[in-house]
Amino acid sequence: MAGADGDDSLYPIAVLIDELRNEDVQLRLNSIKKLSTIALALGVERTRTELLPFLTDTIYDEDEVLLALAEQLGNFTMLVGGPEYVHCLLPPLESLATVEETVVRDKAVESLRKISQEHSPVDLEVHFEPLVKRLASGDWFTSRTSACGLFSVCYPRVSSTVKAEIRQHFRTLCSDDTPMVRRAAASKLGEFAKVLELEYVKSDIISLFTALASDEQDSVRLLAVEACVSIATLLPQEDLETLVMPTLRQAAEDKSWRVRYMVADKFSELQKAVGPEITKNDLVPAFQNLLKDCEAEVRAAAANKVKEFCENLPEDNREQIIMTHILPCVKELVSDTNQHVKSALASVIMGLSTILGKDNTIEHLLPLFLAQLKDECPEVRLNIISNLDCVNEVIGIRQLSQSLLPAIVELAEDAKWRVRLAIIEYMPLLAGQLGVEFFDEKLNTLCMAWLIDHVYAIREAATCNLMKLVEKFGAEWAQNTIVPKVLGMANDPNYLHRMTTLFCINALSKACGQEITTKQMLPVVLKMSNDQVANVRFNVAKSLQKIGPILDSNALQTEVKPVLEKLASDTDMDVKYFAQEAISVPPSHSSLFTPLAAVILEPQSPQRTTTFSPSVRWKVLAADGATSC
Amino acid sequence: MSAISASEKVDGFTRKSMRKAQKQRKSQGSSQYRTHTAPVELSPLPQLKDAPSTEQQELFTQKLQQCCMLFDFLDSVTDLKSKEIKRATLNELVDYVSTNRGVLVEPAYPEITNMICTNIFRILPPSENPDFDPEEDEPTLEAAWPHIQLVYEFLLRFLENPDFQPSIAKRYIDQKFVLQLLELFDSEDPRERDFLKTILHRIYGKFLGLRAFIRKQINNIFLRFIYETEHFNGVAELLEILGSIINGFALPLKAEHKQFLMKVLIPLHTAKGLALFHAQLAYCVVQFLEKDPTLTEPVIRGLLKFWPKTCSQKEVMFLGEIEEILDVIEPTQFKKIQEPLFKQISKCVTNPHFQVAERALYFWNNEYILSLIEENIDKILPIMFGSLYRISKEHWNPTIVALVYNVLKTLMEMNCTLFDELTDSNTRFPVVFLLSKGKMSLKC
């Protein structure tokens, strides 16, 4: 096929086509990914008559190649000559829809769904629907599972006789004897129901739904729960009680925890689908049971839904339902034996305060919040703290501050650095809600202590936290409380702490403004250019580059320039490199530095990265004792 | 921050092992006990052996019914007396069905199976450790094992009793029973899976009508494991049963069985946790090939298709399986797959992971494989030569280099002329280079 006519312009294409047959998978893969280029060069006629048959024959390739092929073919309509010819893409996709590997098959089905839209109604019946039928009655389960995903795309656009056939095929697959196919059918049940006429939803879908929901395999039953949401949305309210509710009740009490978990997980959707009356009579007790389930997995899933469920209760007696039915269960969950359950609850419980209002929150919820703030599991405490804003709106955070503080302090000193990191991230929020006085009094020391944490990620987050605090409390506050402490660390014997000073200056200079930066920070930075540790010195160069734009030109010329020039002739090559970098690319101040261009030395190592070279590391150890992070 | 010990400061990972250790101590789960109503206290019944023979049957039934009461084993202090009574009763029942003749009368069957179903059939609890790694982590043990073990024991004795009649039992030990039994193979508790294995094997042996069904369901479990969940604890046990089932297949093999080999057993090789069941899987594959040698080519092509690309540990397993297959291969079949197979082996010997290279080179220690290679040396040597030659100079591991010299020597002895031709065309260095290492003699 390739280059048979000897046309030179087709040479690159001939190469690609040859690569389609290459022994090396990677080359075949590359070629498949450029399939549209090949098709474009061949033209629509030869794509249809030569390329597609060739591709249909290569279906026995590596799955990776097949996946790429399945994806490409979904976008091929124009390349085979537009909607009129789109059906010639069906044979290769049909074979791909029968392979074993799930990802390939799913991709083929996805592409088939896509091109089904490009079929005319006639083509759909002549070409597409027969393909669906062939797949649906295939020998091996793979083709039947693929068929399940195709019914809903062709059903709306075919004649009523064909529709009847499609419904029949779907029915057959719902009672297939391999569970894989039943699972596929169950997972598409909701989607299929949506395209069916209401009368058939009632006559066909309901019986299939009931059957799948009482399948012998729990993996099938749990998928029926998902379908339940779509089906309930489609049916008029008066039919729900008889057609859907018996099955849903049964699912909520299924003997398999996986099914109950699914019910809990889909609870909000189910609630919306069945409406307020059924929610009041049926779902409230069902939800109570799920909150008290014997498996922690189910309780956790239900606990996650507490806020949403309460929010969506009918407003007329929402408060009463929550107070008498839900809250008692929630109280028990606060002291659950499983930490995932408690932590799931902690992530939503604060949301109840907006629903219940000030008085109820103080009387009933506050004790729960406080209990969770003292929980042994840090994740629970963290989840409470991260949602403080909900309570703040209702009762103000002061009510909590007495318990909040010990909880924060404890989390701030947790042995796991990820916990410390998480609490740092909430500091700006807490600071905003607690106010500057409270902050100065209780939390400021914590924020400063993180700057000398032994984990770099914490020091980095602490720096960023300071910046956010300054943005919140203003430059004056910074000048009085933070800057002196930060600058004080410049004389610390540990070089890591000295570097932290530089990192803080990088972060704070913009928020603090020119005055503070020039008068207080710059002298410290400049002084550190004489540090004995090379790492500190090259970070001085980097800092100068960062704060440059904030300084005035006088300071730049008279103070910064000489220091950078000195660093540019440092004995350490990393220091030299970063000093030159700072001189050559001073952000947005290039005009001031143009005279310096003459000073630029030949870069010795153009590809330097900022990671420590072994030589730098060695220097640090020699100068400072072994304090690595 | 004083609460953090120095060791934790240095290494955050110590915490993980500590957490794990804490977890493993209380790693017991059970979902057997799920009723909200508290169990009724049991009162001991008279011993079966003391009862007059006319009343024995009635007492046997009563005891079976008594054993249907379930207890909460996660709470180790409740119902101690009743738990002990049930344990003693179960022991007595086990003893009763294994030593006495004539106790399995027809009315006893439904009572027996009811007791068994009530006790063992349960939905397995969610795994305590969501990322449970069977190779690394300790399994969660079934808390109710003191009772469940005896019920399994009883079931086994029941099936093995000389009076046991499958024709009566098949009304109770039916497809539904088997299906529930198969689901239990997912249990994390290895003791439970071991019992299940023996029991399913007995059922397969005694109930001819269930055989096809059992095979089909195992099929489904495997396919789900491969393509959907990648999680099932009992794959090794099921494969072990299949090993003996395959052994008994009649010839010629049915299409269904061949399909099982190609569409289920071969794709099982792609599983992440292959190490857990590879021995059993390879055994099954070899059983098939011993039955029907014509399957060799598709099987080896299948393995080559799924050959591991990044996991060296799995690659070593694949090589092991290939050697097992080559041990039983017929020379005519060998000819059919030698080229693709040795292309792969040639890649393996150049693998920078020395265990992979070493495993591949060990093929040359196998007398039968050597004879196959010798017979086809003109095909195999050109495939292998380039890699072997390169690795003899480049591999970082001295053991591998030494092995390669031996292999090269063996190959040279098989066809000296071809070897010289390849040496000339492959490299500027003549064979003398190899000789200079003192590993080879000039004579061949």
Side-chain angles (χ1 to χ4, degrees):
Chain A
M1 173 175 59
D5 47 7
D7 184 349
D8 277 354
S9 65
L10 279 181
Y11 179 71
I13 300 306
V15 171
L16 280 176
I17 294 173
D18 275 344
E19 281 183 358
L20 281 178
R21 287 177 291 205
N22 198 293
E23 233 177 80
D24 184 348
V25 185
Q26 200 52 48
L27 290 177
R28 289 205 301 277
L29 197 57
N30 289 343
S31 193
I32 285 282
K33 285 185 175 157
K34 288 184 195 129
L35 206 55
S36 54
T37 318
I38 300 179
L40 208 58
L42 287 175
V44 294
E45 175 82 37
R46 291 185 67 194
T47 300
R48 288 198 300 269
T49 55
E50 294 174 37
L51 185 62
L52 286 178
F54 170 73
L55 291 174
T56 314
D57 288 340
T58 60
I59 295 300
Y60 304 97
D61 204 341
E62 296 260 338
D63 292 329
E64 214 179 341
V65 178
L66 298 184
L67 175 66
L69 180 59
E71 186 169 9
Q72 292 277 316
L73 291 178
N75 305 316
F76 244 54
T77 312
M78 290 324 287
L79 297 167
V80 292
E84 210 180 321
Y85 295 100
V86 66
H87 60 82
C88 61
L89 294 173
L90 297 179
L93 282 172
E94 180 175 353
S95 318
L96 289 170
T98 63
V99 301
E100 256 80 32
E101 182 48 56
T102 327
V103 283
V104 177
R105 228 180 323 133
D106 288 350
K107 193 52 89 178
V109 170
E110 198 186 310
S111 288
L112 279 169
R113 287 167 70 109
K114 208 165 171 186
I115 65 168
S116 73
Q117 303 307 318
E118 280 146 2
H119 280 69
S120 68
V122 178
D123 279 350
L124 208 59
E125 278 192 29
V126 178
H127 299 288
F128 198 87
E129 204 269 340
L131 168 145
V132 178
K133 266 194 260 177
R134 279 195 302 277
L135 287 176
S137 42
D139 280 339
W140 190 239
F141 78 96
T142 51
S143 72
R144 301 201 298 277
T145 41
S146 293
C148 293
L150 296 173
F151 294 117
S152 65
V153 289
C154 54
Y155 188 85
R157 297 170 60 214
V158 292
S159 66
S160 57
T161 40
V162 179
K163 279 183 175 175
E165 282 175 35
I166 292 179
R167 289 197 303 275
Q168 180 52 44
H169 278 293
F170 192 79
R171 242 193 322 266
T172 316
L173 294 184
C174 283
S175 52
D176 197 277
D177 71 12
T178 69
M180 287 77 79
V181 178
R182 292 203 303 278
R183 278 195 286 276
S187 68
K188 300 293 177 192
L189 184 65
E191 180 190 287
F192 189 55
K194 282 185 192 157
V195 299
L196 244 60
E197 297 80 357
L198 185 60
E199 51 174 314
Y200 295 120
V201 173
K202 286 189 198 172
S203 62
D204 284 31
I205 296 291
I206 294 297
S207 64
L208 296 176
F209 167 63
T210 318
L212 290 169
S214 41
D215 195 274
E216 60 193 12
Q217 303 249 332
D218 58 1
S219 55
V220 179
R221 294 202 299 275
L222 65 89
L223 291 167
V225 175
E226 262 186 302
C228 185
V229 177
S230 321
I231 295 171
T233 325
L234 295 170
L235 291 174
Q237 191 70 32
E238 64 269 22
D239 290 329
L240 286 176
E241 181 54 43
T242 50
L243 299 180
V244 175
M245 286 316 291
T247 310
L248 181 56
R249 274 183 216 118
Q250 178 194 318
E253 287 168 5
D254 198 281
K255 65 182 195 304
S256 164
W257 62 269
R258 292 185 189 86
V259 179
R260 298 197 305 273
Y261 171 88
M262 200 59 160
V263 174
D265 195 50
K266 298 277 165 216
F267 218 80
S268 306
E269 286 97 321
L270 287 167
Q271 183 186 10
K272 278 177 207 152
V274 298
E277 269 315 298
I278 295 181
T279 297
K280 253 188 276 181
N281 301 332
D282 271 280
L283 293 196
V284 172
F287 194 59
Q288 282 174 290
N289 284 336
L290 292 172
L291 289 172
K292 288 187 255 178
D293 198 274
C294 53
E295 292 299 353
E297 258 75 0
V298 180
R299 291 199 301 278
N304 252 323
K305 301 287 166 189
V306 163
K307 183 195 154 201
E308 251 182 289
F309 180 74
C310 293
E311 241 169 18
N312 296 329
L313 283 170
E315 282 202 33
D316 47 347
N317 47 7
R318 179 161 75 185
E319 193 176 319
Q320 181 257 328
I321 293 175
I322 299 175
M323 297 306 292
T324 53
H325 298 291
I326 307 297
L327 207 58
C329 303
V330 169
K331 276 181 186 157
E332 276 177 49
L333 291 184
V334 167
S335 47
D336 200 275
T337 48
N338 184 292
Q339 66 170 48
H340 298 292
V341 176
K342 288 186 291 188
S343 139
L345 181 69
S347 64
V348 298
I349 190 173
M350 311 290 270
L352 290 180
S353 50
T354 28
I355 304 170
L356 288 177
K358 190 171 176 183
D359 294 340
N360 280 326
T361 301
I362 293 175
E363 192 184 337
H364 298 284
L365 293 177
L366 201 54
L368 304 181
F369 300 159
L370 296 177
Q372 291 215 298
L373 268 179
K374 293 185 194 109
D375 199 275
E376 53 174 13
C377 163
E379 209 181 315
V380 175
R381 283 173 270 151
L382 210 53
N383 280 347
I384 289 287
I385 291 175
S386 59
N387 286 298
L388 278 176
D389 47 339
C390 315
V391 196
N392 194 36
E393 287 160 22
V394 183
I395 56 167
I397 211 164
R398 289 276 165 184
Q399 296 270 6
L400 280 172
S401 55
Q402 282 310 313
S403 314
L404 204 49
L405 198 65
I408 294 172
V409 172
E410 212 176 303
L411 287 170
E413 294 174 354
D414 197 279
K416 289 186 220 76
W417 68 268
R418 282 174 207 280
V419 175
R420 299 201 296 278
L421 185 65
I423 189 74
I424 294 178
E425 275 158 15
Y426 292 113
M427 268 300 143
L429 178 80
L430 286 169
Q433 283 165 5
L434 293 166
V436 67
E437 272 169 49
F438 186 89
F439 184 85
D440 280 345
E441 196 180 319
K442 319 268 185 187
L443 299 178
N444 199 12
T445 36
L446 281 179
C447 289
M448 301 315 287
W450 283 320
L451 288 176
I452 51 169
D453 197 281
H454 60 276
V455 175
Y456 175 75
I458 300 298
R459 297 197 299 274
E460 192 188 28
T463 321
C464 182
N465 172 44
L466 285 188
M467 182 181 76
K468 287 184 186 149
L469 289 175
V470 173
E471 280 167 3
K472 208 155 238 144
F473 294 151
E476 198 184 325
W477 174 80
Q479 193 174 7
N480 296 329
T481 50
I482 292 186
V483 174
K485 288 185 192 165
V486 167
L487 297 181
M489 281 164 59
N491 300 318
D492 198 287
N494 185 332
Y495 87 102
L496 291 170
H497 297 171
R498 298 202 294 278
M499 293 216 297
T500 307
T501 300
L502 291 171
F503 298 147
C504 285
I505 289 175
N506 295 348
L508 294 177
S509 59
K510 200 166 165 224
C512 288
Q514 197 185 54
E515 166 108 14
I516 298 177
T517 308
T518 318
K519 293 216 172 116
Q520 300 189 10
M521 296 177 174
L522 185 61
V524 176
V525 178
L526 295 174
K527 202 177 137 218
M528 289 170 86
S529 68
N530 298 318
D531 201 286
Q532 55 175 339
V533 178
N535 300 47
V536 177
R537 292 201 302 278
F538 75 64
N539 271 299
V540 166
K542 283 164 130 186
S543 287
L544 288 174
Q545 188 181 2
K546 278 239 172 64
I547 64 173
I550 298 156
L551 303 171
D552 62 39
S553 55
N554 186 33
L556 276 176
Q557 285 295 351
T558 58
E559 298 181 66
V560 175
K561 194 176 123 185
V563 169
L564 279 179
E565 280 169 345
K566 190 186 74 185
L567 290 175
S569 53
D570 198 277
T571 48
D572 184 278
M573 59 189 215
D574 292 293
V575 178
K576 252 188 217 173
Y577 174 79
F578 285 110
Q580 284 159 14
E581 184 109 302
I583 293 168
S584 59
V585 272
S588 73
H589 270 258
S590 50
S591 61
L592 288 169
F593 275 81
T594 33
L596 283 177
V599 198
I600 296 177
L601 304 165
E602 258 323 92
Q604 287 172 320
S605 43
Q607 290 301 310
R608 289 302 290 270
T609 58
T610 52
T611 51
F612 298 138
S613 65
S615 64
V616 172
R617 201 177 272 275
W618 178 81
K619 256 170 247 150
V620 165
L621 292 176
D624 227 42
T627 27
S628 78
C629 44
Chain B
M1 233 160 280
S2 53
I4 313 166
S5 76
S7 71
E8 285 164 36
K9 272 188 183 171
V10 174
D11 178 12
F13 295 104
T14 50
R15 298 284 300 174
K16 195 183 176 195
S17 51
M18 278 164 63
R19 276 203 308 279
K20 256 190 177 169
Q22 280 167 3
K23 224 182 203 172
Q24 280 166 7
R25 247 175 274 142
K26 51 166 188 181
S27 160
Q28 275 210 330
S30 174
S31 57
Q32 189 204 37
Y33 179 77
R34 286 309 175 217
T35 43
H36 287 288
T37 50
V40 183
E41 198 170 307
L42 299 184
S43 46
L45 295 165
Q47 292 273 305
L48 278 163
K49 63 176 188 307
D50 301 337
S53 55
T54 47
E55 288 165 27
Q56 264 188 0
Q57 202 53 49
E58 172 62 24
L59 188 59
F60 180 50
T61 309
Q62 280 178 8
K63 288 195 176 232
L64 285 169
Q65 284 164 353
Q66 198 174 45
C67 289
C68 288
M69 184 68 71
L70 302 180
F71 298 96
D72 183 2
F73 272 85
L74 286 176
D75 187 344
S76 54
V77 289
T78 57
D79 308 310
L80 282 179
K81 199 169 139 242
S82 297
K83 281 178 188 166
E84 176 51 30
I85 291 172
K86 178 168 168 181
R87 199 194 58 79
T89 311
L90 282 169
N91 264 323
E92 198 191 350
L93 289 174
V94 170
D95 202 44
Y96 187 67
V97 289
S98 39
T99 52
N100 293 330
R101 294 295 303 264
V103 295
L104 294 185
V105 293
E106 197 169 336
Y109 280 76
E111 299 291 345
I112 290 173
T113 40
N114 181 42
M115 191 279 279
I116 292 165
C117 294
T118 316
N119 277 283
I120 63 171
F121 292 153
R122 62 211 195 276
I123 303 290
L124 295 169
S127 178
E128 275 203 10
N129 177 358
D131 14 70
F132 173 67
D133 176 356
E135 286 178 84
E136 288 273 326
D137 301 326
E138 287 293 315
T140 307
L141 298 178
E142 172 58 54
W145 191 242
H147 285 172
I148 291 189
Q149 175 182 19
L150 293 169
V151 177
Y152 277 124
E153 188 78 48
F154 177 77
L155 171 55
L156 202 54
R157 297 298 162 89
F158 168 60
L159 293 168
E160 286 170 351
N161 188 299
D163 297 334
F164 178 79
Q165 288 189 39
S167 56
I168 302 172
K170 75 178 180 193
R171 263 173 271 163
Y172 312 103
I173 299 184
D174 53 4
Q175 296 193 348
K176 190 161 178 263
F177 186 96
V178 169
L179 204 60
Q180 296 183 81
L181 202 66
L182 281 169
E183 275 173 24
L184 291 173
F185 274 83
D186 194 19
S187 170
E188 260 182 50
D189 193 330
R191 303 168 301 183
E192 178 161 26
R193 295 201 304 272
D194 206 51
F195 261 113
L196 287 164
K197 185 177 70 186
T198 321
I199 288 164
L200 186 65
H201 189 261
R202 297 287 182 279
I203 292 179
Y204 191 89
K206 288 190 191 290
F207 296 85
L208 301 185
L210 287 173
R211 288 185 175 184
F213 181 79
I214 292 175
R215 287 198 308 269
K216 198 171 77 188
Q217 294 309 321
I218 294 180
N219 233 317
N220 289 341
I221 289 176
F222 285 169
L223 287 168
R224 183 169 182 221
F225 170 76
I226 301 166
Y227 295 115
E228 295 181 22
T229 58
E230 287 199 347
H231 178 90
F232 193 83
N233 290 314
V235 176
E237 283 81 2
L238 290 176
L239 283 169
E240 214 174 313
I241 300 170
L242 281 168
S244 73
I245 293 178
I246 296 165
N247 216 334
F249 281 162
L251 287 172
L253 289 176
K254 287 191 212 162
E256 174 212 329
H257 301 324
K258 291 186 190 170
Q259 191 181 49
F260 173 69
L261 170 68
M262 292 314 299
K263 299 223 172 190
V264 182
L265 289 187
I266 298 299
L268 257 185
H269 286 84
T270 59
K272 203 165 53 190
L274 180 66
L276 292 166
F277 54 81
H278 181 254
Q280 290 85 346
L281 180 58
Y283 178 80
C284 287
V285 170
V286 173
Q287 287 295 308
F288 262 113
L289 300 186
E290 286 201 280
K291 287 259 163 193
D292 182 353
T294 61
L295 292 168
T296 313
E297 187 188 350
V299 162
I300 291 188
R301 285 192 188 277
L303 290 177
L304 292 176
K305 178 177 176 195
F306 295 130
W307 201 271
K309 295 197 169 54
T310 54
C311 180
S312 307
Q313 191 204 3
K314 270 172 83 170
E315 215 169 342
V316 172
M317 287 185 250
F318 270 58
L319 284 165
E321 186 168 348
I322 292 286
E323 181 162 2
E324 280 181 56
I325 294 173
L326 290 178
D327 269 333
V328 301
I329 201 168
E330 287 183 359
T332 46
Q333 297 298 324
F334 182 81
K335 281 192 181 15
K336 289 185 192 163
I337 46 84
Q338 57 183 359
E339 279 183 49
L341 178 62
F342 276 84
K343 275 183 189 156
Q344 182 58 56
I345 294 174
S346 145
K347 277 186 211 157
C348 291
V349 297
T350 62
N351 197 304
H353 195 305
F354 78 98
Q355 286 176 341
V356 176
E358 185 180 58
R359 189 66 193 83
L361 290 166
Y362 278 167
F363 282 14
W364 274 263
N365 293 345
N366 183 315
E367 288 297 327
Y368 183 59
I369 298 179
L370 272 183
S371 72
L372 291 167
I373 294 176
E374 182 154 21
E375 234 170 87
N376 302 285
I377 187 70
D378 49 329
K379 286 271 178 354
I380 292 171
L381 188 52
I383 300 173
M384 293 300 301
F385 187 83
S387 305
L388 289 173
Y389 190 83
R390 192 157 59 81
I391 230 58
S392 73
K393 292 185 295 172
E394 281 177 11
H395 207 281
W396 60 273
N397 183 304
T399 318
I400 298 298
V401 176
L403 278 170
V404 167
Y405 278 127
N406 285 334
V407 168
L408 278 170
K409 183 176 167 230
T410 319
L411 291 172
M412 185 170 75
E413 283 164 359
M414 286 176 182
N415 187 338
C416 193
T417 337
L418 178 59
F419 191 91
D420 286 345
E421 275 171 32
L422 287 166
T423 318
D424 289 340
S425 60
N426 261 278
T427 167
R428 291 175 279 124
F429 303 104
V431 135
V432 178
F433 171 79
L434 295 168
L435 295 172
S436 69
K437 294 269 178 181
K439 300 272 179 187
M440 307 170 90
S441 74
L442 259 176
K443 296 189 183 87
C444 58

